Amino acid sequence: MIKKFLIFSYGSLCAAAISFFSTPVVTLLVIPEEFGKSSMFTVVLNLIYQVGLLGLDQSFIRMFHERKDPAQRSGLARQCFFFAFCMTLLIICCLLPFWRHVSAMLFEGEDFSATLILALCLLMSVVYRFAASVLRMNMRGNALSITQIVGMIVYVTVVIVYARYVSSSFHAIVWGTAVSLFVSIAISVLLEVRFWMRRSQVKIFDSVEMARIFNYGLPLVPFLVIAYIFQSMDKIALRAYSSFEEIGLYAAAGKFVFMLAIIQTGFYLFWQPMALERYE
């Protein structure tokens, strides 16, 4: 158990270390005001992402070990992913017609490109959530850790290169987030390509299975959304009563505080799949 815990944890630890040492460089290249805008981008991205998932990622994790046949597990993953992806796509279709209002609320200006990247990051976040969950449930701690490390390296590289040679605006961090998500998805899917390509007789629109996964996942959505709002209330309050510059300074300082949560993150990644496997 200790060995598995360490394997699942070293990716988060290395990613946090990279973030820790790169933060002074990033804040040197990106002024606090722009850093504050990127922080609001992240808050809204994660908040909408929690709604779009519909709790189906938790349904997949909970029911994974109930399926003893690998083909059934693959079918369960595709079923949960399909509805979460469609829900996220529906949210994006509702948001894009009002992109001016969304952009003004987040960035105090009309920025269609940033709003479009927000939409793309939402879709990629859902894909990565399920791709990473498959690695977790198959107890592939090394693969998950390598994905986290590579994703963080790509993020920091894109942010620094973009800020240095293109623009020192918040777009550097937005593009860094998008590219790192894309690379993380590619690695995660390639590492479990057999799982995703495996044929299964599980039908996506099976009413019995749909009822089970939604009955488990949907009640978790209000909890996850409220929990994230509480965690982000500091930035939301600063957005309402302060300036982007102060949000940026606060968010940059929060990068260092994040180091304290590494042990908790590593334990969560390792414990949930192992506990459910032992329970079954």
Side-chain angles (χ1 to χ4, degrees):
M1 286 178 63
I2 294 173
K3 180 181 178 181
K4 287 182 179 179
F5 168 67
L6 294 174
I7 290 173
F8 272 90
S9 297
Y10 81 83
S12 300
L13 183 62
C14 292
I18 295 169
S19 177
F20 179 85
F21 289 109
S22 64
T23 295
V25 180
V26 173
T27 52
L28 182 67
L29 295 172
V30 181
I31 62 175
E33 182 178 353
E34 297 295 316
F35 203 89
K37 292 179 181 179
S38 70
S39 181
M40 292 308 302
F41 174 92
T42 304
V43 168
V44 173
L45 170 66
N46 290 331
L47 182 60
I48 300 176
Y49 156 75
Q50 294 291 351
V51 178
L53 281 173
L54 295 174
L56 299 182
D57 58 321
Q58 299 299 319
S59 297
F60 167 69
I61 291 170
R62 174 64 186 86
M63 299 175 185
F64 182 87
H65 288 294
E66 291 181 358
R67 274 71 171 172
K68 306 305 179 185
D69 183 12
Q72 290 182 331
R73 293 175 174 177
S74 181
L76 174 67
R78 286 197 289 266
Q79 192 176 35
C80 293
F81 169 74
F82 175 80
F83 291 110
F85 189 85
C86 289
M87 181 61 186
T88 305
L89 198 59
L90 178 63
I91 293 173
I92 290 171
C93 291
C94 294
L95 284 178
L96 284 181
F98 306 100
W99 69 268
R100 287 185 174 86
H101 302 284
V102 174
S103 179
M105 179 184 70
L106 295 180
F107 317 122
E108 284 191 343
E110 294 186 0
D111 194 328
F112 180 73
S113 62
T115 310
L116 186 60
I117 296 172
L118 173 65
L120 292 175
C121 285
L122 280 170
L123 291 175
M124 289 193 292
S125 294
V126 172
V127 177
Y128 178 64
R129 173 61 177 172
F130 281 95
S133 294
V134 170
L135 292 176
R136 285 179 64 198
M137 299 313 296
N138 286 324
M139 298 303 289
R140 298 193 62 182
N142 272 319
L144 185 61
S145 292
I146 290 170
T147 303
Q148 290 175 314
I149 294 169
V150 173
M152 182 54 70
I153 291 173
V154 170
Y155 168 79
V156 171
T157 303
V158 172
V159 170
I160 292 175
V161 171
Y162 192 101
R164 181 70 178 83
Y165 297 104
V166 182
S167 171
S168 59
S169 67
F170 73 96
H171 288 88
I173 297 174
V174 168
W175 275 108
T177 302
V179 175
S180 67
L181 273 173
F182 179 80
V183 172
S184 298
I185 289 169
I187 296 173
S188 302
V189 172
L190 286 174
L191 289 172
E192 284 290 352
V193 66
R194 286 187 178 181
F195 179 93
W196 292 106
M197 297 299 293
R198 187 175 286 120
R199 291 186 177 183
S200 173
Q201 295 182 351
V202 176
K203 297 179 180 179
I204 290 178
F205 293 99
D206 186 319
S207 59
V208 176
E209 288 296 313
M210 285 172 60
R212 287 199 67 207
I213 63 174
F214 278 108
N215 283 340
Y216 184 85
L218 280 179
L220 295 172
V221 175
F223 158 72
L224 294 170
V225 170
I226 293 171
Y228 185 75
I229 289 174
F230 283 157
Q231 292 172 8
S232 307
M233 186 53 69
D234 45 4
K235 298 183 184 70
I236 295 171
L238 285 171
R239 176 68 182 94
Y241 301 110
S242 187
S243 64
F244 278 118
E245 182 178 0
E246 293 186 358
I247 297 174
L249 292 170
Y250 182 84
K255 294 272 188 181
F256 298 101
V257 179
F258 172 72
M259 291 289 292
L260 300 176
I262 295 305
I263 296 176
Q264 176 188 350
T265 302
F267 182 79
Y268 169 76
L269 290 173
F270 143 78
W271 179 259
Q272 192 178 25
M274 192 200 73
L276 291 173
E277 181 182 19
R278 295 295 178 90
Y279 173 78
E280 291 299 328

